[in-house]
Amino acid sequence: MFRIQHFAIRIVRFLLALAVLSLFLTLYELAYFSHEDNRPVNTEASTTSDGMDSWSVSQMMAFLDSSRMTNRSSCNVFYEFGGVVINDTYRYKDGQKSVCLDEGLKPAVNDCLVYSFGIDNEWSFDDDMAKLGCDVFSFDPSMEEDDHNRSPKIHFFRMGIWNRDGQIFLDKKRPEVAWKVLTLSSVYERLKVFHGQRIIDYVKIDIEGDEWTILPQIIQSGILNSIKQLAMEIHFDGDDSVDDIRQRINLLLSLEREHGMIPFDYKNNLNSKGFVPAAPNNYACAEIVYFNSKFKNVKSN
């Protein structure tokens, strides 16, 4: 009888130890994954430049399309401005941009600054931001319109953004026509006469694949320190090599890893499936939006 009681006591102690261990692991997981301090979560996962070296084009495109590319929980509230309904098989709306409305990031009503690059006569985003009371500066060298004020809040300039100041010949319909271009930092310097040394609340870039040309210069110039939110439409196509795609994905990842720009929204362009032959089941164009983590939760004046 004594041996049976002793054995039963040992079993009870063992079960209690398991229960304590289970409770400890549960509390540890809750503490580890808690976001009560509301800091942005690092979304780089285990992906590094070295780790991507052996990936196929399809794997890289799938990574872009995965939840690892964005951190939606880092922005508690975001809202889409602009966009027009498109009645076709593959997509239903185009031109909309997500804007984070968290403290420190949200554009202040009647006191906000927006740069919008790439209009192509589709003004819905610019118009919506103007309705919010933002001063909107819109740029597109391909439009056959002179500099003008679309409204008291929207100011159009027939010039584009590039990795240097000067002129370029990119107009496919009119190859003899030179476009005036400036870097983003040069645009900012020239527009100080209008808006002074203000922080830019939102920069929209939709320039049909040339984002890869200008993005390294934007990073190198330091202008990101003066931008709260950055929205880009990114493009891949069949002419891109494996190295091109790898370098471009790592360029996007570097915005977060090295410059504190947190991607909080990523939407595929549903009309772009199969643009890259090596990844026929993946989308080749998408809207990605970042916020600058240094401004998050900084109370507005």
Side-chain angles (χ1 to χ4, degrees):
M1 179 64 71
F2 175 79
R3 287 184 178 181
I4 294 175
Q5 289 177 340
H6 182 67
F7 182 72
I9 290 172
R10 292 180 64 183
I11 290 177
V12 170
R13 288 177 176 174
F14 177 75
L15 293 175
L16 286 173
L18 283 178
V20 170
L21 179 60
S22 177
L23 177 62
F24 173 79
L25 291 174
T26 300
L27 292 174
Y28 176 80
E29 288 178 358
L30 287 173
Y32 184 81
F33 291 106
S34 173
H35 302 305
E36 291 179 356
D37 60 358
N38 208 27
R39 292 174 297 179
V41 181
N42 189 344
T43 60
E44 74 176 69
S46 60
T47 305
T48 65
S49 300
D50 294 335
M52 208 179 291
D53 285 347
S54 61
W55 287 13
S56 67
V57 170
S58 182
Q59 286 175 310
M60 287 188 284
M61 299 303 290
F63 171 76
L64 279 175
D65 196 23
S66 74
S67 59
R68 289 176 292 174
M69 193 62 206
T70 58
N71 177 14
R72 283 180 174 269
S73 64
S74 64
C75 175
N76 294 316
V77 179
F78 60 88
Y79 187 81
E80 289 183 349
F81 288 78
V84 293
V85 174
I86 297 176
N87 183 16
D88 69 23
T89 305
Y90 299 104
R91 55 180 177 167
Y92 305 97
K93 199 175 183 184
D94 189 40
Q96 72 274 22
K97 309 296 176 185
S98 293
V99 180
C100 185
L101 301 180
D102 287 0
E103 192 66 51
L105 298 171
K106 61 185 178 183
V109 175
N110 296 323
D111 185 20
C112 43
L113 177 60
V114 174
Y115 284 6
S116 177
F117 294 95
I119 309 301
D120 195 23
N121 292 297
E122 205 287 89
W123 291 95
S124 63
F125 172 77
D126 305 58
D127 287 342
D128 271 4
M129 297 309 289
K131 291 174 185 175
L132 192 65
C134 297
D135 293 311
V136 182
F137 293 87
S138 309
F139 308 86
D140 195 324
S142 71
M143 289 171 57
E144 296 183 36
E145 295 187 26
D146 294 329
D147 297 355
H148 67 277
N149 291 329
R150 174 174 168 82
S151 72
K153 284 290 187 180
I154 302 177
H155 317 285
F156 174 78
F157 295 89
R158 190 177 180 179
M159 65 180 181
I161 186 174
W162 203 242
N163 62 356
R164 59 176 175 82
D165 298 344
Q167 293 184 330
I168 56 175
F169 295 85
L170 288 181
D171 195 326
K172 295 178 180 179
K173 296 180 181 178
R174 299 169 299 156
E176 76 284 357
V177 175
W179 291 350
K180 180 180 178 181
V181 291
L182 295 173
T183 65
L184 180 54
S185 51
S186 292
V187 171
Y188 183 76
E189 289 300 317
R190 296 198 182 193
L191 291 184
K192 279 182 180 179
V193 66
F194 296 103
H195 57 57
Q197 192 83 23
R198 292 172 65 184
I199 295 297
I200 310 172
D201 291 276
Y202 203 93
V203 174
K204 182 212 85 175
I205 298 174
D206 186 354
I207 54 175
E208 303 305 320
D210 290 325
E211 64 276 3
W212 306 120
T213 299
I214 68 167
L215 189 53
Q217 195 282 328
I218 289 175
I219 293 172
Q220 189 264 337
S221 71
I223 190 67
L224 286 174
N225 291 322
S226 298
I227 297 172
K228 286 188 176 182
Q229 298 187 56
L230 173 66
M232 293 185 294
E233 184 170 58
I234 58 173
H235 304 75
F236 298 89
D237 60 45
D239 294 331
D240 296 333
S241 69
V242 175
D243 287 338
D244 287 336
I245 295 173
R246 182 180 298 112
Q247 290 170 7
R248 290 168 181 178
I249 293 176
N250 278 311
L251 183 63
L252 294 176
L253 293 173
S254 75
L255 284 170
E256 180 177 5
R257 295 172 179 170
E258 301 167 22
H259 304 285
M261 302 295 291
I262 310 300
F264 67 90
D265 193 28
Y266 186 97
K267 290 186 178 68
N268 285 310
N269 181 325
L270 301 182
N271 204 35
S272 68
K273 192 170 186 177
F275 282 14
V276 177
N281 295 318
N282 298 109
Y283 297 101
C285 300
E287 298 275 357
I288 186 167
V289 193
Y290 295 83
F291 69 75
N292 191 330
S293 59
K294 83 173 191 176
F295 293 106
K296 186 172 173 62
N297 295 326
V298 176
K299 291 186 177 180
S300 303
N301 293 328

